[in-house]
Amino acid sequence: MSLTVRIITPDKTVWDSGAEEVILPSTTGQLGILKGHAPLLSALDIGVMRVREDKDWVAIALMGGFAEVENDNLTILVNGAERGSEINLEEARSAYEKAQARFNEVQGSDNRQEKLQAEQSLRKTRALFQAAGGMVKV
């Protein structure tokens, strides 16, 4: 028996299947979930979730939300999610590079809202790019 994993967004169910292991981008760092995990409720950050089915890992970009673990059921409620296999790598790379340039551009600005929007855009495009298989320099 494995974990039952459901990823639900406001407009669709992105994943509803079993998994052997899940790694989540929680707000306090990476969180690993295996069968038999203790009950848990955690806030999720924008980032890449990894799901292991048998020996294969599937990357899914998450746009923040919550995860609940109970009785080998993992329910993830997020603002948005997209499987890495459904993301065009070149489009994701381009969007990430534009967001990085915009983020760098507003760093000298006194406009706090502009800085926060640029940072949020950068985090989202980075998650999509990484889920699609892109490598991000740190």
Side-chain angles (χ1 to χ4, degrees), residues 84-97:
S85 61
E86 297 173 357
I87 301 169
N88 179 296
L89 180 60
E90 288 311 311
E91 288 177 9
R93 178 189 321 276
S94 176
Y96 171 68
E97 289 170 355

Side-chain angles (χ1 to χ4, degrees), residues 100-113:
Q100 180 70 53
R102 178 71 180 139
F103 177 78
N104 292 337
E105 179 183 307
V106 302
Q107 289 312 296
S109 171
D110 290 334
N111 187 332
R112 181 176 161 89
Q113 183 177 1

